[in-house]
Amino acid sequence: MEETVAREWARRNRSVVRRVGLIARKAPGMGHHMCTLDRRCDECPLNRDERERCAVEVKCRNAFVARRWKKTIPDDVLAQCAWQIHLTGYDHIHVDVLI
């Protein structure tokens, strides 16, 4: 469902997203750090005047965890996005969830 959810996000936000996959960076003295980035956003819908580098993290969750998404992004997803921003150097990451 990830592909369908990502396409719907792009359609609603009038943007283009591209699949990325595994990203690895070598940290001095620490080995390789990795993350799996779902989609790269070619044009950020928040600010179309500036070319901000951003991505889209797609999640598919069941109704049993829906209450965790009511007010904010759950901590585990927030930590994942923070790590992805750290590794990629992107300005921000959009989170799209299908419940």
Side-chain angles (χ1 to χ4, degrees):
M1 290 294 295
E2 186 176 291
E3 181 67 28
T4 304
V5 174
R7 285 184 187 190
E8 181 61 18
W9 183 91
R11 184 190 69 77
R12 289 183 183 191
N13 290 285
R14 297 178 315 180
S15 188
V16 177
V17 294
R18 304 202 187 283
R19 179 177 285 163
V20 178
L22 183 67
I23 295 175
R25 299 267 192 251
K26 182 154 178 63
M30 299 185 76
H32 284 85
H33 291 172
M34 295 181 266
C35 72
T36 305
L37 199 61
D38 289 339
R39 302 289 185 278
R40 176 177 50 92
C41 190
D42 286 347
E43 185 177 327
C44 181
L46 296 180
N47 189 357
R48 296 188 188 279
D49 296 332
E50 293 182 25
R51 298 292 285 176
E52 291 184 358
R53 294 175 15 145
C54 65
V56 179
E57 180 63 31
V58 178
K59 298 294 182 191
C60 296
R61 298 292 190 250
N62 63 34
F64 296 111
V65 296
R67 65 177 174 75
R68 292 181 61 203
W69 289 86
K70 279 201 179 232
K71 293 183 181 177
T72 187
I73 299 170
D75 290 343
D76 59 329
V77 178
L78 194 58
Q80 179 185 4
C81 290
W83 180 251
Q84 290 170 340
I85 288 170
H86 170 72
L87 279 179
T88 62
Y90 283 9
D91 297 316
H92 59 273
I93 295 182
H94 303 272
V95 178
D96 188 28
V97 62
L98 171 68
I99 297 178

